[in-house]
Amino acid sequence: MGIASARIYAAFGSKEALFREAVALYETNEGSFADQALSGAKDIRSTLEEMFRAAIALYTPARRGCMVVSAATNCSPENAGLGQWLSDHRKARTQSIIERLEKAKTAGEIGREVDSTALGDCCATLLHGLSVQARDGVDQARLEAAVTTFLAAFDAVTAQNRFSGSQ
């Protein structure tokens, strides 16, 4: 950035504080796509598709992935607190997906038998995996195909559970 360390510390207090500020800015701006999708009025399938496809659009240019997923995954012991903070952010995303799935159950969009936690964990795994794959250079077409495959599985699982629930 061309800024002396002393100026960074004067402005933010520490490198960690600067990083936390950068993550907050990311989550408020371009990284807010998941919150936007999950809080929208679309049905659950459309919501998940919107979230995954927005992730791909964000992650694939310049092989950047997600800041919260990619940053500080292998922290040194002195940065363990930062690693835990990012882990908490990822867990919160997973929980927000689970909560949206629960809302879909209540609305009758998916069967009550659907394991919202397991399905939410699967969604978070795909979402976070899209970031890793994009960082590794997997192209947009392949990531889009992965999402299409997931959505087909989602349809099969939720249709099976809806059918089971109606008997």
Side-chain angles (χ1 to χ4, degrees):
M1 290 182 349
I3 301 171
S5 296
R7 288 187 179 213
I8 291 173
Y9 292 127
F12 295 97
S14 67
K15 288 180 189 176
E16 181 177 328
L18 170 61
F19 179 77
R20 288 175 184 255
E21 189 75 25
V23 169
L25 185 63
Y26 170 80
E27 289 181 327
T28 301
N29 293 300
E30 61 195 359
S32 68
F33 69 88
D35 285 335
Q36 291 173 9
L38 293 169
S39 65
K42 294 181 179 179
D43 64 276
I44 187 62
R45 188 189 189 282
S46 298
T47 294
L48 294 174
E49 182 172 18
E50 177 184 328
M51 179 178 68
F52 294 136
R53 301 227 188 261
I56 293 168
L58 177 63
Y59 299 163
T60 53
R63 297 171 49 171
R64 61 195 246 176
C66 173
M67 184 177 195
V68 176
V69 171
S70 300
T73 54
N74 294 311
C75 291
S76 61
E78 62 268 13
N79 290 320
L82 189 59
Q84 183 60 52
W85 181 73
L86 287 167
S87 174
D88 291 344
H89 281 250
R90 292 186 296 270
K91 289 175 185 175
R93 170 58 56 231
T94 301
Q95 187 59 39
S96 68
I97 295 169
I98 292 167
E99 289 169 3
R100 179 59 182 89
L101 289 163
E102 284 294 323
K103 183 178 172 185
K105 270 189 189 183
T106 301
E109 295 176 47
I110 58 177
R112 294 212 175 267
E113 300 82 14
V114 172
D115 184 340
S116 300
T117 300
L119 187 53
D121 288 342
C122 185
C123 290
T125 299
L126 176 59
L127 182 62
H128 297 158
L130 291 170
S131 172
V132 173
Q133 293 287 78
R135 289 282 305 242
D136 288 347
V138 175
D139 67 36
Q140 185 171 351
R142 278 184 60 190
L143 297 177
E144 294 282 353
V147 168
T148 299
T149 300
F150 169 83
L151 292 171
F154 175 87
D155 291 342
V157 167
T158 57
Q160 176 186 13
N161 283 305
R162 278 195 304 264
F163 180 74
S164 296
S166 65
Q167 292 182 343

